[in-house]
Amino acid sequence: MALSCMRCPAAAAGGGPLARRPQPPPSSSLAFSFARCGAAKGWRIHAVAGKGVKAPMDAVENAVAPAAPSTVANGTSSAITVEEFEDLASLVKDDEASVSITVVGASGDLAKKKIFPALFALYYEGCLPKHFSIFGYARSKMTDAELRDMVSKTLTCRIDKRENCSEKMEEFLKRCFYHSGQYDSEEDFRELGKKIKQHEGPRVSNHLFYLSIPPNIFLDVVKCASKSASSVSGWTRVIVEKPFGRDSESSAALTKGLKQYLTEDQIFRIDHYLGKELVENLSVLRFSNLVFEPLWSRQYIRNVQLIFSEDFGTEGRGGYFDSYGIIRDIMQNHLLQILALFAMETPISLEAEDIRNEKVKVLRSMKPLRLEDVVIGQYKSHTKGGITYPGYTEDKTVPKGSLTPTFAAAALFINNARWDGVPFLMKAGKALHTKQAEIRVQFRHVPGNLYKGSFGTDLDRATNELVIRVQPDEGIYLKINNKIPGLGMRLDRSNLNLHYAAR
Ligand SMILES: NC(=O)C1=CN([C@@H]2O[C@H](COP(=O)(O)OP(=O)(O)OC[C@H]3O[C@@H](n4cnc5c(N)ncnc54)[C@H](OP(=O)(O)O)[C@@H]3O)[C@@H](O)[C@H]2O)C=CC1
Ligand SMILES: O=C1O[C@H](COP(=O)(O)O)[C@@H](O)[C@H](O)[C@H]1O
C-alpha cells in the first residue's frame, strides 16, 4: 500500500502553527517519506506498495529549519537560493529529528493488511529516518511482543531485491510498540505521549497519527491526540482514512471538527488507490503517448467501465461496513478518484493543486445520479469447492436484517464537451467470483467496417478495447482485430499486451 494522500487546496497555501518549514513541491499523490532517499534534490522516491507495486513518494518537510541566510556576511547576495538552503538544511537536520508514527486502530484489518506492511516496505527501502518509532494504539489489550507477532505475520518482502529481509524485519519489529487505550480518553493519549517521548529522547520530534479506525471516532481521537500527544518541538500530522463522512454535510462537519484541533496542512486525506501502480500510470499513458490522447473523448470512446470486485465478504468488518455500504466504501472514493483522473482535461502542470483543479471540474460536470441508473444487491450464502461461505447478514458483526448493499452498479455521465453521452459504468462488489480491479475502455465501432462480415453479427467483438488491469497481475492490453495468418481472410482478436510481471 502506498501512503498517497489527497491534499486540500488550502494545504498548499502554507504552514500552520505546527508546520515550521515551507511545504515541499506538491504532486498528484502526495505521500509520506521521512527522509530523502537517493539524490539530495530528488523529492520523488519509490517505496514498494502491494506485491511488486511501487509507489512514488514525495518527501514531507522534516525538522524545524534554522533561519535561512538571505545574505552572506559581507552583505552581498548568497550564492544559493533560500529554497536550496532549506533543502540542504533539512538534509542535515533530517538525520537528527525523530518521527513517531502512531497507528490508531492497530488491532484492525487495515493496519494488519496494509499499514504495517507499507511501513516495513519504507523501512526496507531506507526511506524512514534514522530515528523513528512506530506505536500501535487500540482498545484491545496487547503487549509489544503480541503486536510484533501479529504484525510479523503480514510482513513479507514485497520487494524486488530480497536480501537481508528477515534481518530487516527483526530490526523493524524492534521499533514497533503497543499502547492500549480508549479513543476518547485524553488520559490514555497522555500516557501514549509519555511513551513516545521516552523513545524519541531529547531530539526534535515529529508525530504522525494514522487513523485506521471507523470514521465515527476520528474526531475523538484527533481531539485527544492533539491535546495530549502532539509534538512540542516538531510537526504533528494526521492521516485520515476514507470514507470522509457519509455525505457532503457530514464531510463538511468532519472538516470543521478536525479544524478545531488541526490546521489544514496537518491533515492528510488518503485514498490508497491513488498509490496503485496502474492508477499512477493512467496519466502517464494518456498524457505522454501521442496515440491515446486524440482518442480520449466521446468521439471514439463508447463507454468506460470501472470495475472492483472482491472474492471475500465482510469477514468481521460488518461493524464498519454496515454503516457505509459498498457505494461509500469503494465507489465514492476509489472508483470516483480513478474516474476523475481518467476523464480530466490536461492539467497545467503535475502539481497537486493543478491536478486537483481538473478533477474537481470533472466532478462538477457530472449529472446527478438517477435511481434508474443504479442497481444494488447483497450477497447471500454460497458454496464453492465444498465450502459454504456465509451470506452478508450471517456475519456476526452485521445487524440482523440489514439492507446495506454489498454490490452496486451505476451509470454515470459527465456533461461536458469531451464526455457528453458516454456512460461511465461503475461496478463494485464484495463476495463475488474474483478479486480484481480494472478500467475497461470500449471504443466505438469502425464506421462502415469493411470486415464486419468476418465477425458475424456480434459487433461488440469487433471494437477495440483498452484494458488497464489495476490488480491482480497488473497489466495494460489493447484488444485489436487481426487477420489470422494463412490462406483466406479470417479475423481474430489479439491483445497488444504490456504485462507488468514480464517487465
Ligand atoms: N480494511 C481495508 O482494507 C481498508 C480500510 N480502510 C478504512 O480504514 C479504516 C479502518 O478500517 P478497518 O481496519 O478495516 O476497520 P476495523 O473494523 O478493523 O477497525 C479498526 C479497529 O478500530 C476499532 N474499532 C472497530 N469498530 C469500532 C467501533 N465501533 N468503535 C470503536 N472502535 C472500533 C477496533 O480496535 P479495538 O477494538 O482494538 O479498539 C478495530 O481493530 C476505515 O475508515 C476504513 O474505511 C481504507 C482502506 C482499506
Ligand atoms: O478501502 C477499501 O479497500 C479494500 C480493498 O483494497 P485493495 O487495495 O485490497 O483492493 C476493501 O477491502 C475495503 O472494504 C475498503 O474499505
Side-chain angles (χ1 to χ4, degrees):
M1 174 199 192
L3 301 178
S4 302
C5 297
M6 292 167 290
R7 275 300 220 147
C8 266
L18 290 164
R20 310 279 180 84
R21 289 192 67 237
Q23 293 288 325
S27 84
S28 60
S29 66
L30 179 64
F32 294 89
S33 74
F34 303 94
R36 281 175 221 173
C37 304
K41 289 294 280 177
W43 286 99
R44 293 190 78 77
I45 57 172
H46 280 83
V48 176
K51 190 170 171 234
V53 177
K54 289 184 174 178
M57 311 295 280
D58 293 326
V60 173
E61 75 260 35
N62 282 285
V64 179
S70 54
T71 57
V72 289
N74 65 6
T76 57
S77 288
S78 163
I80 59 170
T81 64
V82 171
E83 207 184 359
E84 283 167 335
F85 172 82
E86 279 169 351
D87 266 358
L88 292 173
S90 72
L91 278 176
V92 175
K93 281 276 170 187
D94 279 350
D95 249 14
E96 294 317 314
S98 71
V99 173
S100 299
I101 303 162
T102 303
V103 180
V104 184
S107 55
D109 186 67
L110 178 72
K112 268 181 268 188
K113 281 205 300 216
K114 311 233 185 215
I115 301 173
F116 281 103
L119 288 170
F120 172 61
L122 287 177
Y123 177 69
Y124 187 97
E125 292 280 317
C127 296
L128 291 182
K130 188 163 126 204
H131 305 290
F132 80 91
S133 306
I134 297 173
F135 296 84
Y137 185 98
R139 296 170 306 181
S140 304
K141 298 276 176 256
M142 244 192 280
T143 60
D144 291 345
E146 283 165 338
L147 173 84
R148 288 171 190 162
D149 185 48
M150 180 191 89
V151 166
S152 66
K153 296 195 174 102
T154 56
L155 298 190
T156 49
C157 285
R158 302 168 153 188
I159 335 184
D160 307 336
K161 52 176 184 4
R162 288 159 191 257
E163 298 107 56
N164 312 324
C165 187
S166 36
E167 291 93 312
K168 289 265 182 198
M169 254 193 224
E170 296 264 306
E171 289 162 18
F172 174 80
L173 289 170
K174 278 192 200 143
R175 296 169 85 161
C176 295
F177 307 91
Y178 186 75
H179 188 78
S180 165
Q182 298 297 316
Y183 298 113
D184 58 356
S185 164
E186 286 183 31
E187 187 45 43
D188 290 349
F189 274 89
R190 194 164 303 118
E191 288 306 310
L192 168 72
K194 282 186 199 159
K195 210 178 254 182
I196 293 176
K197 186 82 207 129
Q198 280 165 15
H199 288 278
E200 60 198 13
R203 56 182 64 82
V204 168
S205 63
N206 299 313
H207 292 186
L208 173 64
F209 293 88
Y210 194 122
L211 306 194
S212 179
I213 42 174
N216 56 316
I217 49 174
F218 285 168
L219 272 185
D220 287 339
V221 170
V222 165
K223 179 179 169 201
C224 296
S226 68
K227 286 190 168 180
S228 309
S230 60
S231 165
V232 285
S233 57
W235 49 251
T236 298
R237 293 191 180 136
V238 176
I239 302 180
V240 188
E241 263 297 344
K242 40 82 24 186
F244 198 78
R246 287 184 55 78
D247 47 28
S248 48
E249 286 85 50
S250 55
S251 167
L254 184 53
T255 296
K256 200 169 158 203
L258 292 176
K259 288 200 178 163
Q260 285 176 261
Y261 310 104
L262 302 167
T263 55
E264 181 57 47
D265 62 341
Q266 292 177 279
I267 306 170
F268 294 80
R269 298 162 180 82
I270 197 163
D271 188 310
H272 77 277
Y273 265 64
L274 291 177
K276 293 201 185 267
E277 185 66 40
L278 270 283
V279 176
E280 292 204 308
N281 202 9
L282 193 55
S283 303
V284 179
L285 188 73
R286 187 178 156 196
F287 297 124
S288 76
N289 292 298
L290 189 68
V291 290
F292 292 114
E293 183 54 16
L295 305 179
W296 223 253
S297 74
R298 65 190 299 280
Q299 217 178 335
Y300 296 105
I301 292 179
R302 191 160 54 119
N303 66 65
V304 180
Q305 302 185 16
L306 305 156
I307 303 165
F308 168 96
S309 72
E310 272 179 347
D311 56 359
F312 51 90
T314 42
E315 296 179 358
R317 283 183 72 222
Y320 150 72
F321 186 87
D322 198 69
S323 320
Y324 290 89
I326 197 75
I327 297 174
R328 290 182 177 90
D329 190 45
I330 301 292
M331 284 183 161
Q332 179 276 332
N333 30 67
H334 303 326
L335 297 189
L336 206 55
Q337 282 288 345
I338 297 178
L339 182 151
L341 268 180
F342 182 97
M344 71 183 183
E345 297 300 316
T346 315
I348 57 170
S349 82
L350 290 174
E351 302 233 324
E353 197 70 353
D354 295 326
I355 293 176
R356 177 196 164 278
N357 288 344
E358 294 310 326
K359 283 158 81 179
V360 168
K361 284 186 208 159
V362 171
L363 300 179
R364 292 185 64 192
S365 308
M366 286 178 80
K367 235 164 85 176
L369 195 53
R370 297 177 313 169
L371 216 47
E372 56 264 44
D373 289 333
V374 184
V375 176
I376 54 173
Q378 192 186 77
Y379 66 86
K380 297 268 176 238
S381 161
H382 71 284
T383 304
K384 197 164 103 186
I387 304 171
T388 301
Y389 296 89
Y392 177 64
T393 50
E394 289 158 44
D395 180 334
K396 286 196 188 68
T397 56
V398 170
K400 290 274 159 283
S402 166
L403 292 175
T404 298
T406 64
F407 172 86
L412 300 149
F413 292 90
I414 303 170
N415 276 346
N416 66 15
R418 188 184 282 269
W419 296 115
D420 192 8
V422 177
F424 283 76
L425 305 166
M426 275 190 189
K427 291 183 243 177
K430 288 197 168 275
L432 298 175
H433 292 299
T434 49
K435 175 167 167 54
Q436 67 176 41
E438 53 184 34
I439 308 164
R440 287 182 171 261
V441 187
Q442 297 195 326
F443 290 92
R444 292 191 181 281
H445 303 113
V446 174
N449 192 338
L450 281 176
Y451 295 99
K452 70 173 179 264
S454 315
F455 281 107
T457 51
D458 185 1
L459 269 181
D460 271 353
R461 285 196 61 217
T463 67
N464 298 121
E465 186 175 25
L466 175 68
V467 182
I468 299 167
R469 199 167 49 224
V470 176
Q471 65 186 29
D473 200 18
E474 296 99 331
I476 301 173
Y477 55 94
L478 179 64
K479 292 186 182 175
I480 55 158
N481 302 319
N482 228 6
K483 178 184 173 298
I484 298 174
L487 286 179
M489 181 54 71
R490 285 181 305 128
L491 301 198
D492 196 3
R493 306 213 71 191
S494 308
N495 290 343
L496 289 178
N497 204 341
L498 170 61
H499 186 209
Y500 272 47
R503 294 191 77 202

